[in-house]
Amino acid sequence: MMGTVQRQLAVLNQDNPAWRVTRPLRADGTSMGWWAFRYVPLTPSQRCAGLVPSIARGDVVALAMELAAQDDIAHRVGYSTGRP
């Protein structure tokens, strides 16, 4: 199973260069869900437009869908989706 998770992380990180995607684990090894953090800080106007600095979701599909929604907003407001 860990091989699948590692592949999913690799794909999400490759396909979403504006984000660092991770899947943190609790001390007992259980998942804390899927998290994504922007590399580049947001301006107040970008936040007002609907961009968020981080996302947490319970499963990989939900995170991928929210990353896609954020990418759509980013393109509309001219946010650079690449790393600095």
Side-chain angles (χ1 to χ4, degrees), residues 3-72:
T4 299
V5 169
Q6 294 305 319
R7 283 191 298 275
Q8 290 169 325
L9 281 169
V11 168
L12 284 172
N13 278 300
Q14 180 178 347
D15 290 350
N16 299 281
W19 299 88
R20 179 178 56 87
V21 179
T22 186
R23 187 170 180 254
L25 301 176
R26 293 181 182 91
D28 67 1
T30 59
S31 171
M32 293 174 61
W34 292 79
W35 291 74
F37 303 91
R38 286 197 187 272
Y39 284 104
V40 178
L42 299 171
T43 65
S45 64
Q46 290 166 335
R47 286 179 182 241
C48 286
L51 294 176
V52 296
S54 63
I55 302 168
R57 294 293 182 268
D59 62 73
V60 68
V61 173
L63 180 65
M65 290 174 59
E66 185 60 28
L67 288 169
Q70 283 287 300
D71 195 37
D72 287 343

